[in-house]
């Protein structure tokens, strides 16, 4: 409608102009280089209008001819880009579905077409990861560390790669850099803490622990457990350096961090005892035995009565059993003391309790010993020994959560695989 109105208005103006010109005739004469041309004003005007139209058409033609190569290159570039992004997207899908060969092929294609590592980096990394090409993967992770947006993934990837290849120091360094970039990452905080504890880098470990607590990177219980581990490490180090008083302070701190952490209680009690503070040691051991009975605590308790007579020992062990009657460790220890004091009835009673709670091989063997020592009854003893072979359950032990190794004593680092803080009493 607007176009129609504009057309009518223009036509009206043109007609009015033509009429106006026709009403005012005039002559024009042009002389140039010996030429002479006579004409009227309307004709000259019409000629000029034609000239204008011709120029405009020529201009379009020239632009059309000279602009063609540019447009061709542009459309070709767009085509490559489109194919590149298609390869990228298909490649990511292949990587997600675990198709290493296809992901690798598409990654190379996308890389060639797009020629932009910032865009194709992730796919190439994924493809290298799937195909197990560690050399290529390392190179990619290193490139990723250079850009702010991908630096975290790069350092984390390098740490994982180093772990896989057993380069614990490099892993610690790379995990540390990744942790600085994203201190809230849970699995990273745990990994870095383990690596610091493994290396005995207590100050760094405590620093990570503080940051992890502030950022809620790990659950409270987990933080407490790891803090106790670090403090025990400090205590053991002080002890190795001959500084018993410092070692005791650290061990007590470790026990405060995690009151159920038996190795810390055991170490603190032992140090108290050596410094002549038997009552403090007893209080520590008893409280811990109440909450988390353990043979280490029994050993510490027994050590408190060094040089005492058999009957005194029975009394001492009775006190421990009273603290936690539900623990087979207490009953076995009391039965052993009763056996030594030739209190057969008491030995039997507590062995039977232990048998109900946890029928280990040791309990059956002690029962056999009672039969032998009290009545010289080899047949009854033999029956218990036989039952030990069929009815006993295995004794709990320090077991590595990483490699499954059973260690005779607690250690910060697994004696088999070296992993820190993985020994559990199971
Ligand atoms: Zn292990």
């Amino acid at each position: 409608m607007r176009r129609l109105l504009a057309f009518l208005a223009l036509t009206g103006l043109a007609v009015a102009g033509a009429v106006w010109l026709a009403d005012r005739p005039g002559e024009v004469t042009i002389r140039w280089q010996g030429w002479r041309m006579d004409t009227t004003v309307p004709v000259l005007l019409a000629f000029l209008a034609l000239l204008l139209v011709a120029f405009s058409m020529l201009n379009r033609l020239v632009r059309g001819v000279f602009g063609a190569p540019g447009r061709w290159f542009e459309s070709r570039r767009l085509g490559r880009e489109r194919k590149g992004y298609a390869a990228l997207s298909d490649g990511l899908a292949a990587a997600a579905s675990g198709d290493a060969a296809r992901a690798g092929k598409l990654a190379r294609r996308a890389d060639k077409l797009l020629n932009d590592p910032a865009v194709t980096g992730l796919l190439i990394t994924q493809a290298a990861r799937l195909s197990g090409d560690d050399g290529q993967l390392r190179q990619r992770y290193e490139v990723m560390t250079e850009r702010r947006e991908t630096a975290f993934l790069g350092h984390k990837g390098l740490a994982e790669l180093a772990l896989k290849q057993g380069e614990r120091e490099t892993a610690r360094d790379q995990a540390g850099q990744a942790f600085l970039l994203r201190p809230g990452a849970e699995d990273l905080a745990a990994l870095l803490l383990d690596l610091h504890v493994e290396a005995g880098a207590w100050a760094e470990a405590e620093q990570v622990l503080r940051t992890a607590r502030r950022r809620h990177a790990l659950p409270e219980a987990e933080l407490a457990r790891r803090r106790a581990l670090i403090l025990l490490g400090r205590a053991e180090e002080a002890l190795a350096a001959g500084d018993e008083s410092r070692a005791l302070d650290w061990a007590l701190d470790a026990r405060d961090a995690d009151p159920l952490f038996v190795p810390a209680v055991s170490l603190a009690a032992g140090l108290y005892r050596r410094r002549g503070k038997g009552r403090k040691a007893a209080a520590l051991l008893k409280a811990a035995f109440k909450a988390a009975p353990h043979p280490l605590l029994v050993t510490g308790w027994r050590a408190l009565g060094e040089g005492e007579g058999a009957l005194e020992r029975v009394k001492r062990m009775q006190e421990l059993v009273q603290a936690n009657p539900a623990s087979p460790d207490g009953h076995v220890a009391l039965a052993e003391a009763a056996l030594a004091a030739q209190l057969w009835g008491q030995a039997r009673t507590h062995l039977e309790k232990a048998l109900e709670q946890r029928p280990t091989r040791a309990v059956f063997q002690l029962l056999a010993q009672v039969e032998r020592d009290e009545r010289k009854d080899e047949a009854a003893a033999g029956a218990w020994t036989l039952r030990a072979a069929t009815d006993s359950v295995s004794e709990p032990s320090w077991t590595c959560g990483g490699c499954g190794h059973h260690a005779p004593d607690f250690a910060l680092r697994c004696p088999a695989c070296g992993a820190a803080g993985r020994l559990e009493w199971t």
Side-chain angles (χ1 to χ4, degrees):
M1 189 65 191
R2 277 173 66 183
R3 290 180 73 152
L4 179 66
L5 282 176
F7 173 74
L8 287 175
L10 274 177
T11 315
L13 274 174
V15 170
V19 169
W20 186 82
L21 272 177
D23 286 350
R24 290 164 184 77
E27 312 237 312
V28 178
T29 303
I30 293 169
R31 289 174 206 265
W32 184 60
Q33 298 272 318
W35 283 78
R36 177 196 162 112
M37 194 172 82
D38 294 312
T39 182
T40 60
V41 172
V43 169
L44 181 70
L45 283 176
F47 175 70
L48 282 174
L50 268 174
L51 212 63
L52 237 140
V53 170
F55 261 122
S56 145
M57 283 172 73
L58 193 68
N59 183 27
R60 289 181 99 173
L61 188 73
V62 167
R63 274 172 53 186
V65 168
F66 287 97
R71 277 200 308 282
W72 183 75
F73 279 119
E74 177 68 9
S75 82
R76 204 175 126 81
R77 189 182 66 77
L78 282 174
R80 278 175 73 91
E81 210 168 85
R82 209 188 65 240
K83 282 182 198 157
Y85 280 115
L88 180 68
S89 141
D90 293 349
L92 284 171
S97 58
D99 186 344
R102 191 168 152 74
K105 202 176 123 198
L106 287 165
R108 281 190 295 279
R109 186 172 155 80
D111 188 38
K112 204 171 123 198
L113 288 167
L114 294 173
N115 192 27
D116 185 354
V119 176
T120 53
L122 190 65
L123 172 60
I124 294 168
T125 311
Q126 289 279 72
R129 206 183 156 115
L130 279 175
S131 63
D133 184 348
D134 288 351
Q136 160 92 321
L137 197 55
R138 180 190 301 265
Q139 207 181 328
R140 283 292 149 185
Y141 282 143
E142 273 161 7
V143 171
M144 283 170 92
T145 59
E146 284 159 18
R147 283 185 69 227
R148 197 163 54 86
E149 290 79 359
T150 51
F152 170 77
L153 285 177
H155 286 301
K156 190 166 174 251
L158 284 172
E160 281 165 5
L161 212 55
L163 268 187
K164 191 173 145 194
Q165 290 164 351
E167 300 162 1
R168 316 288 289 184
E169 248 335 275
T170 311
R172 189 158 76 98
D173 174 44
Q174 292 295 343
Q177 294 194 51
F179 186 71
L180 282 180
L181 293 167
R182 263 185 53 195
E186 178 175 343
D187 47 349
L188 198 65
L191 170 67
L192 188 55
L193 275 170
D194 285 347
L195 289 169
H196 280 326
V197 171
E198 219 180 274
W202 314 121
E204 282 104 321
E206 277 178 347
Q207 175 75 39
V208 171
L209 202 74
R210 276 195 292 276
T211 312
R213 170 166 290 139
R214 216 172 41 242
R215 299 295 189 114
H216 305 290
L218 285 168
E220 266 313 309
E222 191 62 10
L223 286 170
R225 190 183 74 80
R226 286 168 188 277
R227 192 171 134 69
L229 213 63
I230 293 165
L231 290 164
L232 181 71
R234 284 206 187 266
E236 284 182 352
E237 202 174 83
L239 196 63
D243 191 344
E244 281 196 5
S245 130
R246 251 189 116 85
L248 176 60
D249 287 344
W250 289 126
L252 286 171
D253 284 351
R255 181 254 180 196
D256 289 344
D258 180 1
L260 300 185
F261 188 36
V262 168
V265 178
S266 158
L267 180 61
L271 287 167
Y272 264 145
R273 179 175 57 82
R274 274 160 67 166
R275 297 167 80 77
K277 295 180 177 169
R279 280 169 67 175
K280 284 195 170 176
L284 265 184
L285 290 166
K286 209 173 169 181
F289 194 78
K290 234 177 195 163
H294 192 282
L296 257 183
L297 302 172
V298 176
T299 308
W301 186 259
R302 197 181 286 122
L304 286 177
E306 212 182 3
E308 68 193 350
L311 286 174
E312 283 168 296
R313 169 142 305 175
V314 171
K315 262 194 195 144
R316 166 181 302 285
M317 289 305 168
Q318 275 169 346
E319 198 184 334
L320 194 65
V321 169
Q322 273 158 19
N324 190 344
S327 158
D329 295 317
H331 290 293
V332 171
L334 177 51
E336 278 172 334
L339 250 172
Q342 304 199 326
L343 300 172
W344 314 117
Q346 220 180 121
R348 272 178 208 281
T349 310
H350 289 286
L351 286 174
E352 272 156 22
K353 281 256 166 62
L355 201 63
E356 284 165 26
Q357 289 163 341
R358 196 174 58 212
T360 58
R361 182 174 287 271
V363 176
F364 285 111
Q365 275 162 359
L366 282 169
L367 279 161
Q369 201 186 327
V370 175
E371 301 296 349
R372 260 189 222 109
D373 289 1
E374 189 193 4
R375 304 178 186 142
K376 312 277 178 281
D377 187 344
E378 277 304 325
W384 285 122
T385 312
L386 218 67
R387 275 192 65 189
T390 52
D391 297 353
S392 66
V393 299
S394 62
E395 199 93 46
S397 64
W398 293 110
T399 308
C400 175
C403 70
H405 175 76
H406 294 283
D409 299 307
F410 178 81
L412 279 180
R413 305 167 191 87
C414 167
C417 71
R422 297 302 303 271
L423 290 189
E424 300 268 357
W425 184 253
T426 50

